[in-house]
Amino acid sequence: MPELPEVETVRNALIPHLAGRKITRLEVFSPKLREPLTPLAEAGLEGRTIIAVDRRGRYLLLRLDDGRTLLVHLGMTGVIRIENAVIPKRKHEHLFIHLDDGMVFRFECIRRFSVIKVVGASSPELDALGPEPLGEGFGGAYFFRKSRERKTPVKLFLMDNSVVTGVGNIYANEALFRSHIHPRRAAGSLKRKECDALAEAVCGVLREAIEAGGSSIRDYRRPDGSEGHFARELGVYGRVGEPCPGCGSPIERIVLGGRSTFFCPACQKAK
DNA sequence: AAGAGACCCTGGATGC
DNA sequence: TGCATCCAGGGTCTCT
Protein backbone atom coordinates (compact mmCIF):
# COMPACT_ATOMS: atom_id res chain seq x y z
CA MET A 1 0.00 0.00 0.00
CA PRO A 2 1.73 3.13 -1.15
CA GLU A 3 2.34 5.91 1.32
CA LEU A 4 4.68 8.81 0.85
CA PRO A 5 7.95 6.80 0.77
CA GLU A 6 6.52 4.40 -1.78
CA VAL A 7 5.24 7.21 -4.00
CA GLU A 8 8.60 8.98 -3.73
CA THR A 9 10.34 5.75 -4.73
CA VAL A 10 8.04 5.42 -7.73
CA ARG A 11 8.67 9.04 -8.66
CA ASN A 12 12.44 8.62 -8.60
CA ALA A 13 12.17 5.52 -10.72
CA LEU A 14 9.89 7.21 -13.25
CA ILE A 15 11.88 10.39 -13.82
CA PRO A 16 14.45 8.93 -16.25
CA HIS A 17 11.70 7.20 -18.23
CA LEU A 18 9.23 10.06 -18.43
CA ALA A 19 11.00 13.42 -18.24
CA GLY A 20 11.18 14.90 -21.72
CA ARG A 21 9.07 12.15 -23.30
CA LYS A 22 6.23 12.99 -25.62
CA ILE A 23 2.87 11.24 -25.29
CA THR A 24 1.94 9.68 -28.61
CA ARG A 25 -1.21 7.73 -27.80
CA LEU A 26 -3.54 6.72 -24.99
CA GLU A 27 -5.38 3.47 -24.51
CA VAL A 28 -8.10 3.49 -21.86
CA PHE A 29 -9.41 0.05 -20.97
CA SER A 30 -11.74 0.81 -18.06
CA PRO A 31 -14.59 3.32 -17.75
CA LYS A 32 -13.66 4.39 -14.27
CA LEU A 33 -11.36 3.90 -11.32
CA ARG A 34 -12.37 6.01 -8.33
CA GLU A 35 -13.32 8.64 -10.87
CA PRO A 36 -14.27 8.23 -14.54
CA LEU A 37 -11.25 7.48 -16.72
CA THR A 38 -12.89 8.23 -20.05
CA PRO A 39 -12.26 12.03 -19.96
CA LEU A 40 -8.55 11.24 -20.21
CA ALA A 41 -8.99 9.90 -23.71
CA GLU A 42 -10.55 13.20 -24.78
CA ALA A 43 -8.17 15.51 -22.93
CA GLY A 44 -5.90 16.07 -25.89
CA LEU A 45 -2.85 14.55 -24.27
CA GLU A 46 -1.44 13.22 -27.54
CA GLY A 47 1.52 15.34 -28.60
CA ARG A 48 2.07 16.79 -25.13
CA THR A 49 5.49 16.44 -23.53
CA ILE A 50 6.04 15.44 -19.90
CA ILE A 51 8.48 18.05 -18.62
CA ALA A 52 8.77 16.95 -14.99
CA VAL A 53 7.62 14.34 -12.48
CA ASP A 54 6.76 15.85 -9.11
CA ARG A 55 5.08 14.60 -5.96
CA ARG A 56 2.70 16.19 -3.50
CA GLY A 57 1.69 13.99 -0.59
CA ARG A 58 0.69 10.72 -2.18
CA TYR A 59 -0.04 12.28 -5.53
CA LEU A 60 2.30 11.87 -8.47
CA LEU A 61 2.28 14.94 -10.69
CA LEU A 62 3.25 14.54 -14.31
CA ARG A 63 3.80 18.11 -15.49
CA LEU A 64 2.85 18.70 -19.12
CA ASP A 65 4.27 21.31 -21.47
CA ASP A 66 0.90 23.05 -21.81
CA GLY A 67 0.69 23.93 -18.11
CA ARG A 68 -1.62 21.11 -17.19
CA THR A 69 -0.78 18.26 -14.82
CA LEU A 70 -1.57 14.59 -15.05
CA LEU A 71 -2.42 13.72 -11.47
CA VAL A 72 -1.94 10.12 -10.38
CA HIS A 73 -2.94 8.63 -7.05
CA LEU A 74 -2.04 4.96 -6.64
CA GLY A 75 -4.82 4.29 -4.16
CA MET A 76 -3.96 1.05 -2.43
CA THR A 77 -3.09 -1.26 -5.25
CA GLY A 78 -1.93 1.01 -8.06
CA VAL A 79 1.18 -0.14 -9.92
CA ILE A 80 2.99 1.76 -12.66
CA ARG A 81 5.24 -0.09 -15.05
CA ILE A 82 7.32 1.21 -17.91
CA GLU A 83 7.34 -1.58 -20.46
CA ASN A 84 6.81 -2.08 -24.15
CA ALA A 85 3.38 -2.92 -25.49
CA VAL A 86 4.37 -6.40 -26.62
CA ILE A 87 3.72 -7.77 -23.16
CA PRO A 88 0.05 -8.80 -23.12
CA LYS A 89 -2.33 -6.59 -21.17
CA ARG A 90 -2.78 -7.81 -17.64
CA LYS A 91 -6.24 -8.35 -16.17
CA HIS A 92 -6.28 -5.21 -14.04
CA GLU A 93 -4.37 -2.85 -16.28
CA HIS A 94 -6.63 0.12 -16.97
CA LEU A 95 -4.56 2.58 -18.95
CA PHE A 96 -1.63 2.63 -21.38
CA ILE A 97 0.16 5.88 -22.17
CA HIS A 98 2.38 5.35 -25.20
CA LEU A 99 5.59 7.36 -25.29
CA ASP A 100 7.70 8.58 -28.20
CA ASP A 101 10.56 6.21 -27.39
CA GLY A 102 8.33 3.18 -27.91
CA MET A 103 7.87 2.48 -24.23
CA VAL A 104 4.51 2.45 -22.48
CA PHE A 105 3.41 3.84 -19.13
CA ARG A 106 1.16 1.01 -17.98
CA PHE A 107 -1.20 1.50 -15.06
CA GLU A 108 -2.55 -1.42 -13.10
CA CYS A 109 -4.85 -1.29 -10.10
CA ILE A 110 -6.64 -4.30 -8.69
CA ARG A 111 -8.94 -2.55 -6.25
CA ARG A 112 -9.59 0.53 -8.37
CA PHE A 113 -9.14 3.00 -5.52
CA SER A 114 -6.71 4.94 -7.66
CA VAL A 115 -7.22 8.23 -9.47
CA ILE A 116 -5.80 9.46 -12.76
CA LYS A 117 -7.01 12.80 -14.06
CA VAL A 118 -5.86 15.96 -15.79
CA VAL A 119 -5.92 19.12 -13.71
CA GLY A 120 -4.94 22.72 -14.31
CA ALA A 121 -2.64 24.96 -12.32
CA SER A 122 -4.54 24.16 -9.14
CA SER A 123 -7.03 21.52 -8.09
CA PRO A 124 -9.25 20.98 -5.05
CA GLU A 125 -7.55 17.76 -3.99
CA LEU A 126 -4.09 19.35 -4.00
CA ASP A 127 -5.20 22.63 -2.46
CA ALA A 128 -6.63 20.76 0.54
CA LEU A 129 -3.33 19.11 1.46
CA GLY A 130 -1.39 20.14 4.54
CA PRO A 131 2.39 20.60 4.58
CA GLU A 132 4.80 17.94 3.41
CA PRO A 133 6.12 16.03 6.45
CA LEU A 134 9.69 16.28 5.13
CA GLY A 135 9.34 19.86 3.95
CA GLU A 136 9.11 23.32 5.44
CA GLY A 137 6.14 23.92 7.68
CA PHE A 138 5.98 20.62 9.50
CA GLY A 139 7.47 19.96 12.90
CA GLY A 140 6.68 19.67 16.59
CA ALA A 141 5.67 23.31 16.92
CA TYR A 142 3.26 23.03 14.01
CA PHE A 143 1.78 19.75 15.22
CA PHE A 144 1.33 21.13 18.73
CA ARG A 145 -0.39 24.30 17.53
CA LYS A 146 -2.59 22.45 15.05
CA SER A 147 -3.74 19.78 17.51
CA ARG A 148 -4.92 22.01 20.37
CA GLU A 149 -8.54 21.35 21.45
CA ARG A 150 -8.71 18.35 19.13
CA LYS A 151 -10.28 15.28 20.70
CA THR A 152 -9.76 12.90 17.79
CA PRO A 153 -7.25 10.09 18.40
CA VAL A 154 -3.75 11.29 17.61
CA LYS A 155 -3.29 8.51 15.07
CA LEU A 156 -6.26 9.69 13.01
CA PHE A 157 -5.10 13.28 13.35
CA LEU A 158 -1.68 12.27 12.04
CA MET A 159 -3.30 10.51 9.09
CA ASP A 160 -5.46 13.55 8.23
CA ASN A 161 -4.05 14.84 4.94
CA SER A 162 -5.14 18.38 5.71
CA VAL A 163 -2.92 18.32 8.81
CA VAL A 164 0.14 16.74 7.21
CA THR A 165 0.06 14.90 3.93
CA GLY A 166 1.26 11.44 3.00
CA VAL A 167 1.33 9.71 6.39
CA GLY A 168 -0.74 6.57 6.05
CA ASN A 169 -1.54 3.68 8.32
CA ILE A 170 1.83 1.95 8.33
CA TYR A 171 3.98 4.97 9.11
CA ALA A 172 1.48 6.49 11.53
CA ASN A 173 1.68 3.28 13.56
CA GLU A 174 5.47 3.26 13.42
CA ALA A 175 5.91 6.94 14.29
CA LEU A 176 3.65 6.62 17.33
CA PHE A 177 5.53 3.52 18.43
CA ARG A 178 8.89 5.25 18.11
CA SER A 179 7.70 8.25 20.09
CA HIS A 180 6.02 6.09 22.78
CA ILE A 181 2.60 7.68 22.27
CA HIS A 182 -0.59 5.65 22.52
CA PRO A 183 -2.51 5.91 19.22
CA ARG A 184 -5.84 6.51 20.97
CA ARG A 185 -4.76 9.53 22.95
CA ALA A 186 -6.65 12.71 22.09
CA ALA A 187 -4.49 14.76 19.74
CA GLY A 188 -5.02 17.84 21.87
CA SER A 189 -3.72 16.10 24.99
CA LEU A 190 -0.16 15.81 23.68
CA LYS A 191 2.42 17.94 25.43
CA ARG A 192 4.77 20.08 23.41
CA LYS A 193 7.67 17.68 23.94
CA GLU A 194 5.55 14.76 22.79
CA CYS A 195 4.69 16.66 19.61
CA ASP A 196 8.40 17.27 19.04
CA ALA A 197 9.14 13.57 19.50
CA LEU A 198 6.28 12.54 17.25
CA ALA A 199 7.23 14.94 14.46
CA GLU A 200 10.81 13.75 14.66
CA ALA A 201 9.65 10.13 14.53
CA VAL A 202 7.46 10.84 11.51
CA CYS A 203 10.38 12.40 9.64
CA GLY A 204 12.78 9.67 10.70
CA VAL A 205 10.59 6.76 9.70
CA LEU A 206 9.72 8.35 6.36
CA ARG A 207 13.35 9.13 5.53
CA GLU A 208 14.45 5.61 6.41
CA ALA A 209 11.62 4.12 4.37
CA ILE A 210 12.53 6.22 1.33
CA GLU A 211 16.13 5.11 1.75
CA ALA A 212 14.98 1.48 1.73
CA GLY A 213 12.78 1.90 -1.33
CA GLY A 214 9.52 1.74 0.59
CA SER A 215 7.72 -1.08 2.35
CA SER A 216 6.50 -3.91 0.17
CA ILE A 217 3.44 -5.21 1.94
CA ARG A 218 0.95 -7.11 -0.18
CA ASP A 219 0.65 -5.24 -3.45
CA TYR A 220 3.25 -2.52 -3.54
CA ARG A 221 6.06 -2.90 -6.06
CA ARG A 222 8.57 -0.46 -7.46
CA PRO A 223 8.19 0.33 -11.18
CA ASP A 224 10.92 -2.18 -12.06
CA GLY A 225 8.96 -4.88 -10.27
CA SER A 226 11.29 -5.15 -7.30
CA GLU A 227 10.22 -4.95 -3.68
CA GLY A 228 11.05 -2.26 -1.18
CA HIS A 229 12.97 -3.41 1.85
CA PHE A 230 11.51 -1.36 4.67
CA ALA A 231 8.91 -3.92 5.75
CA ARG A 232 11.52 -5.80 7.77
CA GLU A 233 12.23 -2.63 9.73
CA LEU A 234 8.67 -2.21 10.94
CA GLY A 235 8.44 -2.36 14.73
CA VAL A 236 4.74 -2.88 15.28
CA TYR A 237 2.80 -2.81 12.01
CA GLY A 238 1.17 -6.18 11.35
CA ARG A 239 2.93 -7.74 14.33
CA VAL A 240 0.02 -8.44 16.66
CA GLY A 241 1.06 -10.93 19.36
CA GLU A 242 4.75 -10.65 18.51
CA PRO A 243 7.15 -9.28 21.13
CA CYS A 244 7.75 -5.54 21.14
CA PRO A 245 11.27 -4.86 19.82
CA GLY A 246 11.77 -2.51 22.77
CA CYS A 247 10.45 -4.38 25.81
CA GLY A 248 9.17 -7.75 24.65
CA SER A 249 5.53 -7.19 25.56
CA PRO A 250 3.07 -8.63 23.03
CA ILE A 251 2.01 -6.11 20.38
CA GLU A 252 -1.72 -5.38 20.49
CA ARG A 253 -4.17 -4.56 17.73
CA ILE A 254 -7.14 -2.20 17.99
CA VAL A 255 -9.27 -0.50 15.34
CA LEU A 256 -9.30 3.26 14.94
CA GLY A 257 -11.24 4.93 12.16
CA GLY A 258 -11.82 1.48 10.72
CA ARG A 259 -8.08 0.89 10.31
CA SER A 260 -5.90 -1.67 12.03
CA THR A 261 -3.79 -0.05 14.70
CA PHE A 262 -0.77 -1.74 16.28
CA PHE A 263 1.00 -0.65 19.42
CA CYS A 264 2.96 -1.83 22.43
CA PRO A 265 0.76 -1.50 25.53
CA ALA A 266 3.83 -1.15 27.74
CA CYS A 267 5.85 1.36 25.70
CA GLN A 268 2.86 3.41 24.57
CA LYS A 269 0.85 4.18 27.68
CA ALA A 270 -2.71 5.44 27.27
CA LYS A 271 -2.28 7.74 30.31
C1' DA B 1 -17.48 22.06 12.83
C1' DA B 2 -15.83 17.98 14.59
C1' DG B 3 -16.08 13.25 14.74
C1' DA B 4 -17.83 8.74 13.54
C1' DG B 5 -19.11 5.51 10.21
C1' DA B 6 -20.39 3.79 5.42
C1' DC B 7 -18.83 3.01 1.01
C1' DC B 8 -15.99 2.07 -3.16
C1' DC B 9 -13.23 -2.50 -4.91
C1' DT B 10 -10.95 -7.29 -5.50
C1' DG B 11 -8.27 -11.12 -4.03
C1' DG B 12 -6.39 -13.81 -0.49
C1' DA B 13 -6.98 -16.10 3.85
C1' DT B 14 -9.85 -18.50 6.84
C1' DG B 15 -13.70 -21.40 8.45
C1' DC B 16 -17.15 -24.92 7.96
C1' DT C 1 -13.75 -29.02 -3.05
C1' DG C 2 -16.64 -25.33 -2.60
C1' DC C 3 -18.99 -21.79 -0.64
C1' DA C 4 -19.47 -17.91 2.68
C1' DT C 5 -17.28 -14.56 5.44
C1' DC C 6 -13.79 -11.51 6.76
C1' DC C 7 -9.98 -8.46 5.99
C1' DA C 8 -6.82 -5.14 3.73
C1' DG C 9 -7.56 0.52 3.62
C1' DG C 10 -7.07 5.95 1.15
C1' DG C 11 -10.15 9.08 0.27
C1' DT C 12 -14.79 10.87 -0.05
C1' DC C 13 -19.27 11.17 1.42
C1' DT C 14 -23.12 11.36 4.75
C1' DC C 15 -25.05 11.75 9.21
C1' DT C 16 -25.25 13.35 13.88
Side-chain angles (χ1 to χ4, degrees):
Chain A
M1 49 210 81
E3 297 185 27
L4 189 150
E6 289 73 29
V7 178
E8 182 66 14
T9 300
V10 171
R11 181 181 88 91
N12 287 324
L14 288 177
I15 289 173
H17 295 286
L18 296 183
R21 293 266 72 85
K22 185 182 286 187
I23 296 171
T24 58
R25 190 161 62 92
L26 264 78
E27 286 185 278
V28 177
F29 304 111
S30 309
K32 72 185 284 282
L33 297 173
R34 201 172 75 214
E35 296 184 19
L37 210 48
T38 38
L40 265 188
E42 298 149 18
L45 296 180
E46 297 86 349
R48 298 273 62 85
T49 295
I50 300 167
I51 57 174
V53 182
D54 295 331
R55 180 190 58 75
R56 179 80 173 94
R58 265 174 284 222
Y59 289 95
L60 278 171
L61 308 171
L62 277 52
R63 306 294 190 186
L64 305 177
D65 62 349
D66 62 358
R68 293 186 296 172
T69 295
L70 190 56
L71 184 149
V72 180
H73 194 295
L74 298 174
M76 292 176 50
T77 56
V79 175
I80 294 168
R81 295 186 186 85
I82 305 293
E83 294 175 335
N84 60 43
V86 176
I87 298 169
K89 187 183 93 65
R90 297 170 180 86
K91 181 178 179 183
H92 295 290
E93 284 185 320
H94 307 294
L95 170 73
F96 283 6
I97 301 177
H98 295 262
L99 305 168
D100 63 353
D101 61 352
M103 298 300 279
V104 185
F105 172 106
R106 302 169 59 133
F107 188 77
E108 177 187 61
C109 186
I110 294 174
R111 256 168 281 181
R112 298 174 185 247
F113 281 12
S114 50
V115 173
I116 301 186
K117 64 195 291 190
V118 179
V119 300
S122 70
S123 69
E125 48 269 86
L126 295 180
D127 293 344
L129 297 179
E132 288 287 326
L134 297 179
E136 300 290 319
F138 179 73
Y142 168 84
F143 198 85
F144 180 78
R145 174 165 41 85
K146 197 82 174 171
S147 60
R148 294 309 86 188
E149 311 297 318
R150 294 293 300 268
K151 293 182 171 63
T152 195
V154 60
K155 183 188 174 226
L156 300 184
F157 190 70
L158 187 56
M159 291 175 64
D160 181 339
N161 276 292
S162 70
V163 174
V164 57
T165 184
V167 183
N169 198 33
I170 295 175
Y171 300 112
N173 276 302
E174 293 303 315
L176 288 163
F177 171 67
R178 287 189 180 197
S179 49
H180 306 292
I181 296 167
H182 193 290
R184 190 137 56 189
R185 283 193 46 201
S189 77
L190 267 64
K191 307 287 185 252
R192 173 60 204 271
K193 283 192 173 179
E194 292 177 312
C195 290
D196 289 346
L198 180 55
E200 191 173 328
V202 167
C203 293
V205 74
L206 291 179
R207 282 205 187 90
E208 290 170 34
I210 291 171
E211 189 72 22
S215 303
S216 288
I217 294 181
R218 296 189 184 84
D219 307 292
Y220 167 74
R221 289 294 181 276
R222 297 152 95 169
D224 65 0
S226 67
E227 300 190 0
H229 302 296
F230 195 69
R232 69 181 68 145
E233 308 298 328
L234 299 176
V236 289
Y237 184 82
R239 298 194 187 281
V240 60
E242 294 181 28
C244 164
C247 74
S249 301
I251 301 299
E252 291 186 9
R253 174 187 180 272
I254 57 175
V255 175
L256 290 177
R259 304 313 187 233
S260 282
T261 301
F262 303 92
F263 67 102
C264 170
C267 295
Q268 298 166 267
K269 294 290 188 191
K271 288 193 181 172

